[in-house]
Amino acid sequence: MEQNLLLTYLLLTPIIGSVLVLFLKKEQKQLIRLFGLAVSLVAFVVSLVVYFEFNQANPQFQFIHQVIWIKSLNISYHVGVDGISLLLVLLTTFLTPLTLLSSWKAIEKNLKMFTFSMLFLEVGMLGVFISLDLFLFYIFWEAMLIPMYFIIGIWGGERRIYAAVKFFIFTMFGSLLMLVAIIWLAVYASTTLGYFTTNLIELYKVGPTIPHQIQTWMFGAFFLSFAIKVPLFPLHTWLPDAHVEAPTAGSVILAGVLLKMGTYGFVRFCLPLFPQSSVQFAPIISVVAVIGIIYGALVSMAQTDMKKLVAYSSVSHLGFVVLGIFAMTVESIQGAVIQMINHGLSTGALFLLVGVLYERTHRRDIAFYGGIAKLVPLYSTVLMIATLSSIGLPGLNGFVGEFLILIGSFKSSVLNSWWFTIFAATGVIFAAVYMLWMYQRVVFGEVKNEALKHELTDMNLREMIVIVPIFIFIVWIGVYPNMFLKLTEASTQSILQQVGTFTGNLLK
Amino acid sequence: MINLIYLTVLLPLLGFLINGLIGRKIKNEKVIGIIGSGTVGIAFVIIILAFIETLALPVENRSNTVELFTWISAAGLNIKFAYLVDQLSLTMSLIVTGVGFLIHVYSIGYMHGDKGFWRFFAYLNLFIFAMMNLVLGDNFVVLFLGWEGVGLCSYLLIGFWYDRKFEKGTTSQAAKKAFVVNRIGDFGFLLGMFLIYFTFDSLNFKEVFSRAESFPVAELTFGLIALFLFIGAAGKSAQIPLFVWLPDAMAGPTPVSALIHAATMVTAGVYMVSRASIIFASAPAVMMIVAVIGLVTAIMAASIGLVQNDIKKVLAYSTISQLGYMFLAAGVGAFSASIFHLMTHAFFKALLFLGAGSVIHGMHEEQNIQKYGGLKKYMPKTYLTFFIATLAISGVPGLSGFFSKDEILWSAYANGGFVFWLIGAITAMLTAFYMFRLVSLTFYSKERFDHHHVHPHESPAVMTVPLMILAFLSVVGGYIGIPKVFSGEHGNLFEGWLEPIYAPALAKLATFGSHSHLEEILLMAVSVAAALSAIYFSLYVYTKKLQIAENVSIKFKGIYYLLWNKYFVDEVYEAAVVEPIQKGSEKLLWKIFDVKIIDGLANGVASLVESGSGIIRKIQTGITQFYAVVMMAGIAFALLWLILSL
């Protein structure tokens, strides 16, 4: 098979970068910052090359690079992308430089270690999205926990240790189950294929042939691991704590990319590997997803801390994504994938903007603010745009995803009931309530605290450079989403075809 | 010009971008105002040209689509950014850009000196942009884009003076309320769209409506679609039970009330029902619901309007009431009459609001009509135009409101029955009464303001000229829709123009009974007489015998109290919906379920493991001898087990 090294270069960029950072002198802070930014920008450029070389019409994995790693077990370094993973790769390489730039002033302590962690994290995230070998995937999946643990634990807020440990234990618990399932799957492959393998493409043929009862268990193990990561209600309680304690950069990456690893897992592994179980459990999972949409929104409404509010809103938004995936229509899955990107952009922007305020006043409680429209007009406008994107205003990105998910789940033959969509759509109302309410309390009215008048300054150039690229995509996806939808169309159809072949479900 | 129709959308967008991005730096109000009004003015000219061009086409070619690009496409779903130029969208566009342009010009005077002048014009242009998408969109999704867009602009403009108080709260609370209540309606609209896509496999107007005629679809499905869409319409057009946001929307600057909350945006629901007439016509039960809700809204809002003292509030309830008329018309199948009333209402209600703005402007921001009086001599132009609009809304023969309202009342009688007509006619009477109460207390009667502090003055020409143009339209606007009883079979030009749009729906309804001309003229005479006597009575009470009004309010204290407090609808919603959700979310879901139960469980497991390992840890003593003993015991045990199992 022809080897393509492009993805390997992409992966190597942050690997080499993170190692090189360690050789820089601790005191040369500016150099470390610039170096980190440069490395992440190079990675972004490489990922753009991947995008331009990518053939949208081809539903297969592309840019495959496979090197035998553990020969006796048929484990290999095996990477490749399809339209879905490519979009998430782009999201990762796009957000990483922005987060580094956003922490220019915020991170002083252990800067070298921080830059190392962020680049290392990028390696983990990219690895997860491009791995085509379950063993390799699992390594990246776990490896990425380590830098995140440190980012929360070292540069976080007051209760950072509690939050970091909670984050670690929750996700670790899930992934151990997944490891067991991976090994079992590879062993089972040796009975049907005649050899032990963790090659995903080969396992796609094996998974659906697993006897029903065992498949249920396997599906459950994978599902639980991903569900914790998403996080799906009621496994979400690690998220608000992690977000509140994490530094801005950590929150952005956490919400922007890390959570998507869970939903990506559903699409890449659960559906094609265990189609029968996926179809069987789709209604139950969708019920949970819809509960999550409403629950997340309602709890958001009650929050007094801006960051926590945004964190709970993620629970709600990701409920939409999960619903879209398990509705298993082309519309809903394409909507779910684009919504993963959208959530990364709009929630990322919201966390960045909360961070902007926090950097100046060290307060996140909504009650402290009020009337800042007068003091920081530019910031208020920018926050309004992020808010509108988050509540799914047509013309901005959020609408496209939500609309496709809802319209797809409405006609879903797997769910076969309108109630999912009807209840999910109430989330659209609640989103407007909690977001606009927060906006109103923070921005409008009379200036509430005299301290604000001294402490608050408007967005500076660096902060605008961070936020404007995000906004460009927020508008772009809102007005011309087709460019992004085209990318995932063929891959989505091929996944649904896999599901349809083995379950005999009529999937349009 | 039809092919350039997208310019009418892009120009206001351009205006928004210029004023929004660099307006703060422009500083010069004139430049900002000219950019803001100019873009809308040019759009209006383009629409007129497109209108003339369409008029020149044969009737069967008058519906044209202008495609821009594919917006959202996934599987069978293919949403294009495309505009539909037909009789209905042109009519709406003329109103939106025409009245919109006048209000833009008026705003140059009204907003003079406001520190947010540039921001105001940016929002106003953004509104026109969204509204044009709403009326021109060739599919439900582009309509929805405009629909949400106008909602956003409404939100931004209601809360325009974000640091001001409004009644018991703030302007931004009123803004949020408007947005959220609208979103409840949008929820219905969305479900309607989903069901349409599910049923007809498209969201494009032409495709959906032609399939609605040909596909074998159950009446129940039609009913559900129509009902869902109507929920959306009720939200946007402030009908029961979602009308509560509109009175609060008066927190915004008065030109906003005129443009968004009277002439254009709030009529979007009427437009949508009218656009989807074939779907509604296929669901007779929902048509009945639409008519009844419209009718009840009309009389309820009019009754509240009787006792309010805030000049804008009276007009707000009046708007709700008139919107009710439009839905009544649509509900009885008189779609053309509902759009006709939408148009005349846009003229006279925009005029009333702008006139009110002129009064407020001249009275140093005072809005309480009890503190006006005798303003006629101070503001002659404002008075005259306001008076004309009042005559129009009261249905005085010869003015625009008479024609459109009469058309609705007659359709209500012919298709709905006597009771529909009666309630409609009573509403007309109430309307005449509260409007003349407003005129009397404002322009006639004794001067009740403090002459030391308040010096009423007429507004500048930039404000009064738009008033005069609107007054002219309020007078003559009705003559394009003269009832057939006077003008003959093809005499109603307006109905004839829109006829092709509604032909499929009317073919389905076909219930217009035959009634004699005499009957129609008789009913018309009765309703006109009722309105005229209400006007006379109102003038008499509020200019000469104020005592009567006081006595009545004391005698019927209960009713007065009920009306004054707007039937307590807000309070009921607060107690029944808002409070439980807020309290429940905070106390139950977050602090108990999330923190106590889920986290409690997770932390419980953690502490269980911790204490468990604390016990097991004791085995790890670190004393080698102890380990040796355990090892020996283990070996002994293993040997024993081996021996026993032999």
Side-chain angles (χ1 to χ4, degrees):
Chain A
M1 193 195 238
E2 205 183 320
Q3 300 280 8
N4 191 318
L5 290 170
L6 203 50
L7 289 175
T8 304
Y9 293 145
L10 177 63
L11 202 57
L12 277 174
T13 310
I15 291 180
I16 295 172
S18 64
V19 172
L20 286 181
V21 161
L22 297 176
F23 290 99
L24 294 175
K25 276 216 178 69
K26 223 192 208 157
E27 293 75 33
Q28 293 170 304
K29 292 197 168 166
Q30 209 60 16
L31 183 67
I32 295 175
R33 288 192 181 108
L34 283 171
F35 184 77
L37 184 65
V39 170
S40 62
L41 282 174
V42 171
F44 180 57
V45 172
V46 177
S47 68
L48 281 184
V49 175
V50 178
Y51 169 76
F52 285 113
E53 302 264 302
F54 186 80
N55 175 9
Q56 297 181 343
N58 180 359
Q60 305 296 321
F61 289 101
Q62 302 175 38
F63 307 101
I64 288 180
H65 185 202
Q66 190 171 15
V67 182
I68 297 293
W69 183 10
I70 306 173
K71 196 159 187 212
S72 57
L73 295 176
N74 273 316
I75 292 173
S76 54
Y77 166 82
H78 185 190
V79 293
V81 287
D82 68 351
I84 296 171
S85 42
L86 176 56
L87 260 186
L88 289 160
V89 164
L90 288 167
L91 179 70
T92 310
T93 55
F94 173 72
L95 282 180
T96 306
L98 296 180
T99 51
L100 283 170
L101 195 57
S102 79
S103 25
W104 216 253
K105 289 268 155 54
I107 305 291
E108 285 290 335
K109 183 173 78 174
N110 268 329
L111 179 70
K112 197 163 110 177
M113 193 59 199
F114 177 78
T115 311
F116 170 80
S117 300
M118 289 297 287
L119 292 175
F120 190 65
L121 191 60
E122 187 175 14
V123 176
M125 297 185 295
L126 290 174
V128 163
F129 294 133
I130 64 176
S131 293
L132 294 181
D133 184 286
L134 282 174
F135 189 75
L136 185 69
F137 167 79
Y138 185 77
I139 287 175
F140 283 123
W141 177 270
E142 291 291 55
M144 166 242 92
L145 280 181
I146 302 162
M148 199 65 218
Y149 173 79
F150 285 121
I151 287 171
I152 299 173
I154 296 178
W155 295 276
E158 272 167 30
R159 294 172 68 229
R160 56 182 181 267
I161 303 295
Y162 171 76
V165 172
K166 196 172 177 183
F167 161 75
F168 200 91
I169 297 205
F170 262 78
T171 28
M172 194 68 188
F173 173 73
S175 35
L176 282 176
L177 288 175
M178 179 164 71
L179 179 62
V180 175
I182 289 174
I183 294 170
W184 201 97
L185 194 60
V187 172
Y188 182 81
S190 50
T191 61
T192 51
L193 295 175
Y195 49 88
F196 184 99
T197 185
T198 50
N199 183 336
L200 183 65
I201 298 171
E202 291 191 56
L203 287 175
Y204 275 168
K205 293 175 209 124
V206 176
T209 64
I210 302 171
H212 179 252
Q213 189 140 23
I214 301 168
Q215 199 196 57
T216 306
W217 284 102
M218 311 279 292
F219 172 80
F222 271 88
F223 176 80
L224 194 65
S225 171
F226 297 139
I228 290 172
K229 200 70 144 206
V230 171
L232 199 62
F233 171 90
L235 306 165
H236 62 274
T237 58
W238 65 268
L239 183 77
D241 283 312
H243 269 310
V244 169
E245 299 308 325
T248 301
S251 288
V252 174
I253 290 292
L254 191 60
V257 185
L258 251 63
L259 307 186
K260 310 302 150 23
M261 290 167 42
T263 46
Y264 172 75
F266 291 147
V267 180
R268 175 66 68 239
F269 302 101
C270 284
L271 258 52
L273 279 177
F274 317 113
Q276 295 92 340
S277 307
S278 296
V279 170
Q280 186 192 347
F281 290 106
I284 300 171
I285 295 166
S286 299
V287 167
V288 178
V290 171
I291 292 176
I293 292 172
I294 298 171
Y295 182 88
L298 288 177
V299 177
S300 258
M301 221 182 288
Q303 298 306 312
T304 53
D305 180 309
M306 292 167 79
K307 241 182 159 180
K308 231 175 186 169
L309 190 149
V310 180
Y312 273 109
S313 82
S314 292
V315 176
S316 182
H317 283 143
L318 284 158
F320 276 107
V321 176
V322 176
L323 174 68
I325 292 170
F326 284 93
M328 295 191 222
T329 60
V330 177
E331 290 95 331
S332 71
I333 293 188
Q334 285 205 267
V337 174
I338 202 106
Q339 193 65 357
M340 291 186 211
I341 308 297
N342 290 337
H343 178 261
L345 296 173
S346 52
T347 308
L350 284 170
F351 276 125
L352 282 170
L353 290 171
V354 175
V356 166
L357 282 188
Y358 185 76
E359 254 180 57
R360 288 158 172 70
T361 61
H362 297 281
R363 296 289 290 264
R364 285 190 314 257
D365 41 331
I366 296 170
F368 175 75
Y369 295 96
I372 67 168
K374 256 187 204 158
L375 306 172
V376 284
L378 182 59
Y379 177 85
S380 307
T381 311
V382 170
L383 183 63
M384 173 51 76
I385 297 171
T387 303
L388 294 174
S389 154
S390 177
I391 66 179
L393 188 84
L396 300 181
N397 59 347
F399 172 72
V400 178
E402 282 178 7
F403 186 76
L404 284 173
I405 290 170
L406 291 173
I407 209 164
S409 60
F410 195 84
K411 60 171 251 191
S412 163
S413 57
V414 171
L415 300 181
N416 197 24
S417 163
W418 295 346
W419 290 108
F420 293 100
T421 311
I422 294 176
F423 279 111
T426 60
V428 175
I429 305 175
F430 290 127
V433 179
Y434 64 77
M435 286 309 295
L436 290 180
W437 196 28
M438 173 182 93
Y439 189 83
Q440 172 199 328
R441 284 178 293 170
V442 170
V443 174
F444 291 143
E446 293 279 0
V447 181
K448 214 165 166 190
N449 258 303
E450 282 304 307
L452 286 170
K453 285 187 182 158
H454 315 297
E455 287 168 356
L456 268 192
T457 48
D458 217 332
M459 302 278 284
N460 60 35
L461 183 66
R462 176 180 55 85
E463 286 159 344
M464 286 307 284
I465 293 175
V466 173
I467 208 82
V468 166
I470 299 184
F471 282 3
I472 289 175
F473 281 98
I474 282 178
V475 176
W476 190 339
I477 299 179
V479 177
Y480 196 66
N482 243 9
M483 207 182 109
F484 304 88
L485 291 171
K486 279 261 162 57
L487 206 55
T488 59
E489 198 176 352
S491 318
T492 307
Q493 268 159 355
S494 113
I495 288 170
L496 282 177
Q497 196 152 20
Q498 161 97 351
V499 176
T501 314
F502 290 101
T503 60
N505 248 300
L506 277 176
L507 299 167
K508 277 204 286 183
Chain B
M1 272 304 154
I2 292 174
N3 293 326
L4 295 178
I5 204 78
Y6 57 87
L7 286 179
T8 64
V9 183
L10 288 182
L11 280 168
L13 180 67
L14 188 71
F16 160 71
L17 290 175
I18 294 174
N19 277 337
L21 292 175
I22 57 168
R24 187 200 302 270
K25 300 206 176 69
I26 293 178
K27 295 247 163 51
N28 188 336
E29 285 189 2
K30 269 208 185 107
V31 176
I32 295 171
I34 287 171
I35 293 171
S37 330
T39 49
V40 181
I42 299 172
F44 179 54
V45 173
I46 295 174
I47 298 282
I48 291 180
L49 294 176
F51 171 68
I52 294 169
E53 199 180 327
T54 306
L55 213 53
L57 294 170
V59 176
E60 61 274 14
N61 293 342
R62 281 184 184 169
S63 173
N64 296 288
T65 309
V66 181
E67 264 185 42
L68 297 184
F69 59 89
T70 299
W71 183 18
I72 304 172
S73 107
L77 187 71
N78 190 357
I79 313 284
K80 291 209 170 72
F81 234 110
Y83 296 126
L84 178 64
V85 185
D86 68 357
Q87 295 91 332
L88 182 57
S89 68
L90 280 170
T91 309
M92 291 299 293
S93 306
L94 282 171
I95 299 169
V96 171
T97 51
V99 177
F101 172 67
L102 293 175
I103 295 174
H104 273 71
V105 173
Y106 173 96
S107 303
I108 298 177
Y110 190 85
M111 296 305 286
H112 170 68
D114 193 291
K115 65 182 185 333
F117 192 87
W118 61 276
R119 202 161 49 92
F120 185 81
F121 274 89
Y123 292 166
L124 230 47
N125 272 185
L126 183 64
F127 170 78
I128 299 286
F129 162 73
M131 193 70 203
M132 291 306 285
N133 273 303
L134 198 163
V135 297
L136 284 173
D138 100 316
N139 58 66
F140 281 99
V141 191
V142 174
L143 193 163
F144 190 72
L145 167 92
W147 187 271
E148 291 277 285
V150 291
L152 166 71
C153 296
S154 164
Y155 169 82
L156 293 170
L157 284 161
I158 295 170
F160 181 76
W161 288 314
Y162 54 78
D163 50 354
R164 287 198 193 174
K165 294 263 176 285
F166 175 72
E167 299 189 341
K168 284 172 212 150
T170 58
T171 55
S172 48
Q173 274 168 349
K176 193 196 76 190
K177 181 175 174 184
F179 198 88
V180 170
V181 174
N182 266 295
R183 271 256 159 147
I184 296 173
D186 298 347
F187 164 75
F189 192 169
L190 274 174
L191 293 181
M193 276 198 275
F194 300 154
L195 194 48
I196 288 171
Y197 180 60
F198 183 76
T199 314
F200 302 112
D201 210 26
S202 173
L203 282 166
N204 177 287
F205 287 149
K206 279 189 178 161
E207 283 173 14
V208 170
F209 298 149
S210 73
R211 286 170 197 178
E213 285 180 87
S214 57
F215 277 26
V217 175
E219 196 175 306
L220 180 70
T221 311
F222 273 123
L224 276 176
I225 294 176
L227 194 64
F228 283 142
L229 291 181
F230 182 60
I231 293 173
K236 191 108 299 182
S237 296
Q239 298 296 292
I240 291 174
L242 299 175
F243 67 94
V244 288
W245 64 273
L246 188 58
D248 284 22
M250 298 300 124
T254 307
V256 172
S257 314
L259 177 62
I260 301 185
H261 305 119
T264 56
M265 182 191 84
V266 287
T267 61
V270 180
Y271 164 74
M272 189 246 269
V273 171
S274 195
R275 178 56 85 189
S277 56
I278 177 70
I279 290 177
F280 280 84
S282 311
V286 178
M287 287 285 273
M288 188 50 113
I289 294 176
V290 173
V292 169
I293 292 224
L295 193 62
V296 176
T297 306
I299 192 161
M300 176 221 59
S303 68
I304 296 175
L306 290 174
V307 301
Q308 300 301 315
N309 280 335
D310 182 315
I311 185 168
K312 286 180 73 181
K313 217 144 229 188
V314 177
L315 294 178
Y317 279 103
S318 163
T319 304
I320 297 175
S321 172
Q322 298 296 313
L323 289 165
Y325 268 128
M326 296 174 209
F327 281 106
L328 168 64
V332 296
F335 295 106
S336 158
S338 97
I339 296 294
F340 187 36
H341 194 59
L342 185 159
M343 183 190 79
T344 60
H345 176 256
F347 297 151
F348 59 68
K349 189 51 72 63
L351 174 52
L352 286 171
F353 266 113
L354 294 184
S358 180
V359 171
I360 294 166
H361 192 73
M363 293 296 287
H364 310 270
E365 306 298 312
E366 179 58 63
Q367 298 195 12
N368 187 342
I369 51 175
Q370 299 294 351
K371 292 182 181 162
Y372 293 162
L375 297 182
K376 183 178 165 187
K377 68 174 177 204
Y378 300 103
M379 313 179 180
K381 290 176 193 154
T382 303
Y383 160 68
L384 189 68
T385 52
F386 198 92
F387 181 71
I388 290 171
T390 306
L391 290 179
I393 193 177
S394 304
V396 172
L399 284 87
S400 62
F402 163 75
F403 294 109
S404 57
K405 195 181 285 185
D406 177 74
E407 185 88 29
I408 292 175
L409 287 178
W410 171 243
S411 310
Y413 177 80
N415 298 339
F418 179 70
V419 178
F420 279 65
W421 175 84
L422 184 68
I423 298 175
I426 293 174
T427 306
M429 220 169 87
L430 295 178
T431 309
F433 186 86
Y434 68 69
M435 280 314 299
F436 271 87
R437 169 178 177 263
L438 192 62
V439 169
S440 306
L441 289 176
T442 306
F443 295 104
Y444 313 144
S445 66
K446 209 163 66 222
E447 296 176 13
R448 296 179 301 277
F449 49 88
D450 182 357
H451 284 274
H452 296 293
H453 300 293
V454 181
H455 308 285
H457 57 84
E458 183 58 281
S459 299
V462 69
M463 289 165 72
T464 51
V465 171
L467 294 183
M468 290 175 209
I469 297 172
L470 283 170
F472 174 73
L473 290 170
S474 300
V475 175
V476 305
Y479 288 93
I480 53 170
I482 301 169
K484 284 179 185 158
V485 64
F486 296 131
S487 59
E489 193 46 40
H490 298 290
N492 190 333
L493 296 176
F494 193 82
E495 201 179 316
W497 159 249
L498 286 180
E499 200 268 323
I501 303 275
Y502 304 125
L506 295 181
K508 211 151 205 169
L509 286 170
T511 52
F512 281 88
S514 57
H515 294 274
S516 67
H517 286 330
L518 186 67
E519 215 173 345
E520 186 171 353
I521 291 170
L522 200 69
L523 287 173
M524 197 185 292
V526 173
S527 69
V528 167
L532 288 177
S533 50
I535 292 172
Y536 174 77
F537 186 57
S538 179
L539 281 172
Y540 177 72
V541 170
Y542 288 100
T543 53
K544 300 215 173 71
K545 296 268 183 206
L546 260 173
Q547 199 56 40
I548 298 179
E550 272 173 43
N551 288 345
V552 170
S553 68
I554 292 166
K555 200 165 178 188
F556 299 96
K557 216 168 156 189
I559 295 174
Y560 180 79
Y561 190 64
L562 197 64
L563 292 180
W564 176 246
N565 286 296
K566 305 139 196 164
Y567 298 102
F568 294 98
V569 178
D570 270 320
E571 287 75 6
V572 171
Y573 283 0
E574 183 75 24
V577 183
V578 180
E579 281 270 310
I581 289 183
Q582 273 180 2
K583 289 271 151 61
S585 303
E586 192 193 332
K587 301 260 152 64
L588 190 73
L589 294 184
W590 179 32
K591 293 202 168 140
I592 293 182
F593 191 78
D594 236 50
V595 175
K596 292 261 161 65
I597 298 181
I598 303 180
D599 264 5
L601 219 63
N603 291 338
V605 171
S607 58
L608 208 70
V609 171
E610 206 177 316
S611 53
S613 43
I615 295 165
I616 301 168
R617 207 200 69 183
K618 297 215 169 89
I619 301 169
Q620 311 288 323
T621 53
I623 303 163
T624 326
Q625 289 91 328
F626 175 71
Y627 293 156
V629 170
V630 174
M631 194 173 88
M632 290 312 291
I635 292 171
F637 179 77
L639 281 175
L640 191 69
W641 188 69
L642 267 177
I643 292 163
L644 285 178
S645 61
L646 272 177

